[in-house]
Amino acid sequence: ADVHGTVKADNMETFGRSSRRERYAKLHEEGIDGIMEREHAADEEMPWRNEGPPESSFGEPGARLEEGHKLDYVSTVMLCVATFCLFADQNLMAPNLQAIADDFGLKGKRKDQFLGGIMSIAFFFVGAPSSVIVGSLADSPNVHRVTLFTGVLLIGEIPAALTIFVGTGWAGYWQLFVLRSITGVAIGGALPVVLSMLADIYSSSQRNVASAVYSTAMGAGLVFGQTFAALTGTSNWRIPFVLVALPSIGIALGCLVVIKEPKRGAAEEALAQRFKNNPNYEYKEDVGWRRKFVQAFTIPSNILIIIQGVPGSIPWGVLNVYLNDYLNTDAGLSLADSTSVVVSFAVGCGLVGNAVGGVLGQFMWNKSPRLVPLAMGLTTIAATFPVEVLINFASNMSQILRLAIAFISGSVACFTAANIRAVLMNVNTPNTRGTVFACFNLMNDIGAGLGPGLVSVFVTLFENRQTAFSVAVTMWFLCGTLQGSLFCTVPQDVNRVNKKLAEQAELVEDEDLNLLTVESNHRPPAPLPSLELTAH
């Protein structure tokens, strides 16, 4: 209401419903006769009475929930630690690719084809369907997501521990193939569950930072895994798998005790007043799994983000699987120097790309949601150039220069990783995010799996790993273009989510009022006061 006591037409109905809900509560004490007539008459004469602006200002970029939702930092830390352990397992093969190939009798190009290509395709393609299944389960209001996450972790870490029993020759190769494929189930299934929970812990004003922290945990796990495998796998490449898996199993079980299941939808600004009025309120909107997938591919921002995952993941698949071995065997670097270059790239990803990128991305989002996709597209395209320099000229430069270029490459390339998941959180409702992230992860897995496989084909075609890697990295040009296109779609999709959640909250409130009225109508009428006649 303004100073003259008038109410804007577009807010009148919402304000009226809010006040009526409180006034109708009197029905339980006073009965319904007379009250409805008086209240409607009062509304017509003074629609602004007892009103005020809603305490939750959904639609404003910096809106924060002050009640009904507490940020559970302990749960966040535990989620990140568990994710760190899971992703440390993913790249344990990379530093010892040659030793593994020798054990299995794979020579020359067969090393790239069977360990880099076929093994990676199996790892990610098995993880892709598991991501879809787990993501759909994460959207169900009847599924305890913490338990689901723990089960996914155990599926990934137990096969890693069993790697110690892998033999040699072709039999050993197929044993490792099966174990790594099962671990792919965990890698694919973990992401949609974790991001679904993080979106219910943090509001839109903090999701970029939360996503950056999670991305940092993933990247740190990859770096630790490669470094740890290089240091401990010199005598037996199987040992790092066991040393990483055993403590990870303990951490997975600890998740059941430490992580608190977040309330679904509690971080949504559009539902803030609903949770404030009723602390026991539960967001249980649910739709069939078919409708979830249909919705995932009808939202413009979802389509662009999901599609960009294929070309965007191909260079990452190449860097994660081949870079260490390429620098060691083709560029002539020692194993220590090649590993340190990979570590420098990962440190740039973690310290600058994820940490600084997440904070900067959050600042941009709170200023204007359009700025984030624009920055993602530009940084993805820009990252192509230093990576190409590293691939083509690593053998002709000093180690210090290699480390600097690797650090810059990681810093620029990882800005998108820190922010793109937050964008997905903000353009989807709480009951569909698990499914959407599953589709997002599915395309990433296809790209990451196709990357090494595609490179193995390029190696055969060009008979040159350097050319094959250079061609694969140029996929970031297409990826960056698709990301920049989100500039046109994100604001409308964010508004659509806020509007839909507000409508759902109003619908539930109306149902509560109807139930309250029905209960009041069924109450027995209050006894009439006794009258005594007095003679005058």
Side-chain angles (χ1 to χ4, degrees):
D2 59 22
V3 293
H4 300 292
T6 60
V7 179
K8 294 181 180 180
D10 57 346
N11 290 332
M12 187 182 302
E13 183 178 358
T14 301
F15 289 174
R17 284 176 178 169
S18 177
S19 63
R20 279 196 194 95
R21 187 185 186 282
E22 298 174 1
R23 296 197 297 272
Y24 284 2
K26 299 177 183 178
L27 296 175
H28 286 297
E29 300 178 359
E30 302 177 27
I32 196 170
D33 293 341
I35 292 182
M36 289 294 292
E37 183 178 351
R38 291 196 304 272
E39 289 297 306
H40 283 304
D43 281 348
E44 292 177 1
E45 295 176 7
M46 299 177 293
W48 60 85
R49 65 180 189 137
N50 298 324
E51 301 295 351
E55 297 183 24
S56 171
S57 54
F58 75 88
E60 297 180 7
R64 287 281 308 275
L65 300 181
E66 297 179 359
E67 296 184 26
H69 171 64
K70 296 180 180 179
L71 303 181
D72 194 340
Y73 296 110
V74 175
S75 295
T76 303
V77 169
M78 195 64 180
L79 286 171
C80 290
V81 170
T83 300
F84 171 90
C85 294
L86 183 61
F87 278 83
D89 183 10
Q90 180 175 336
N91 264 11
L92 291 177
M93 289 176 56
N96 301 304
L97 215 57
Q98 187 60 54
I100 300 172
D102 292 340
D103 252 10
F104 297 152
L106 301 174
K107 306 293 184 181
K109 297 176 183 178
R110 290 165 67 87
K111 176 181 71 175
D112 290 336
Q113 292 172 349
F114 285 91
L115 293 181
I118 296 176
M119 190 78 73
S120 295
I121 290 175
F123 184 87
F124 289 106
F125 272 58
V126 171
S130 72
S131 180
V132 173
I133 295 172
V134 174
S136 182
L137 289 174
D139 284 334
S140 173
N142 300 320
V143 172
H144 191 263
R145 288 174 289 181
V146 176
T147 303
L148 181 63
F149 179 59
T150 300
V152 167
L153 291 177
L154 293 176
I155 290 174
E157 297 302 340
I158 292 176
L162 296 176
T163 304
I164 192 67
F165 300 109
V166 169
T168 58
W170 277 111
Y173 173 82
W174 290 113
Q175 291 168 5
L176 182 62
F177 180 89
V178 172
L179 292 176
R180 297 307 289 166
S181 298
I182 298 174
T183 300
V185 173
I187 297 292
L191 186 140
V193 182
V194 173
L195 293 176
S196 173
M197 288 192 284
L198 288 178
D200 287 331
I201 295 175
Y202 297 95
S203 65
S204 62
S205 64
Q206 291 187 314
R207 285 175 182 157
N208 292 69
V209 175
S211 175
V213 171
Y214 177 68
S215 297
T216 301
M218 293 169 57
L222 292 171
V223 175
F224 174 81
Q226 288 209 41
T227 307
F228 187 73
L231 296 175
T232 61
T234 53
S235 61
N236 186 342
W237 59 267
R238 301 166 183 82
I239 292 177
F241 287 88
V242 180
L243 296 180
V244 169
L246 292 180
S248 299
I249 292 173
I251 291 173
L253 296 174
C255 289
L256 288 173
V257 179
V258 177
I259 299 178
K260 179 183 178 182
E261 178 78 12
K263 280 189 174 183
R264 196 180 303 272
E268 303 303 324
E269 287 89 342
L271 298 177
Q273 195 66 38
R274 183 64 191 166
F275 277 98
K276 183 177 179 179
N277 292 339
N278 182 8
N280 296 321
Y281 171 70
E282 295 182 5
Y283 180 86
K284 288 190 174 183
E285 295 291 333
D286 194 19
V287 294
W289 64 270
R290 288 188 181 88
R291 187 176 174 186
K292 291 178 185 177
F293 284 101
V294 170
Q295 289 181 0
F297 287 96
T298 54
I299 297 172
S301 296
N302 285 353
I303 296 173
L304 289 172
I305 291 176
I306 290 171
I307 292 176
Q308 65 82 39
V310 176
S313 296
I314 289 175
W316 285 108
V318 172
L319 295 173
N320 289 335
V321 174
Y322 289 116
L323 184 60
N324 201 329
D325 182 72
Y326 169 77
L327 294 175
N328 177 226
T329 60
D330 292 74
L333 278 65
S334 67
L335 182 59
D337 284 348
S338 64
T339 302
S340 63
V341 171
V342 173
V343 170
S344 179
F345 180 90
V347 170
C349 281
L351 292 182
V352 180
N354 281 326
V356 177
V359 174
L360 182 60
Q362 190 67 71
F363 174 79
M364 291 179 176
W365 182 271
N366 292 345
K367 287 292 183 182
S368 172
R370 292 182 184 272
L371 297 177
V372 175
L374 186 62
M376 290 192 306
L378 292 175
T379 53
T380 298
I381 293 174
T384 306
F385 301 102
V387 173
E388 291 284 7
V389 171
L390 193 62
I391 290 173
N392 291 282
F393 304 103
S395 59
N396 300 322
M397 61 181 70
S398 66
Q399 179 67 1
I400 293 178
L401 184 56
R402 283 191 291 263
L403 294 174
I405 293 176
F407 182 85
I408 293 171
S409 301
S411 301
V412 178
C414 278
F415 179 88
T416 293
N419 292 282
I420 196 165
R421 296 180 181 90
V423 174
L424 266 184
M425 293 179 188
N426 293 333
V427 299
N428 289 281
T429 53
N431 60 331
T432 60
R433 285 182 183 136
T435 301
V436 170
F437 278 116
C439 296
F440 170 72
N441 201 42
L442 173 65
M443 290 301 180
N444 282 350
D445 283 351
I446 290 175
L450 284 177
L454 189 61
V455 168
S456 67
V457 174
F458 286 167
V459 169
T460 303
L461 181 63
F462 299 116
E463 297 185 356
N464 187 333
R465 294 178 99 191
Q466 180 178 315
T467 303
F469 291 171
S470 296
V471 172
V473 171
T474 59
M475 292 293 104
W476 272 341
F477 284 110
L478 175 58
C479 175
T481 302
L482 292 171
Q483 291 169 357
S485 301
L486 290 166
F487 176 89
C488 303
T489 64
V490 164
Q492 291 84 355
D493 289 336
V494 170
N495 290 334
R496 174 191 54 78
V497 169
N498 287 334
K499 181 179 179 181
K500 186 172 183 179
L501 291 175
E503 289 173 351
Q504 291 174 346
E506 290 179 3
L507 180 62
V508 172
E509 187 170 333
D510 287 344
E511 290 175 353
D512 289 349
L513 292 179
N514 291 337
L515 179 61
L516 187 60
T517 304
V518 170
E519 291 177 351
S520 299
N521 284 330
H522 282 81
R523 291 185 60 188
L528 296 174
S530 58
L531 300 177
E532 296 182 1
L533 299 178
T534 304
H536 294 282

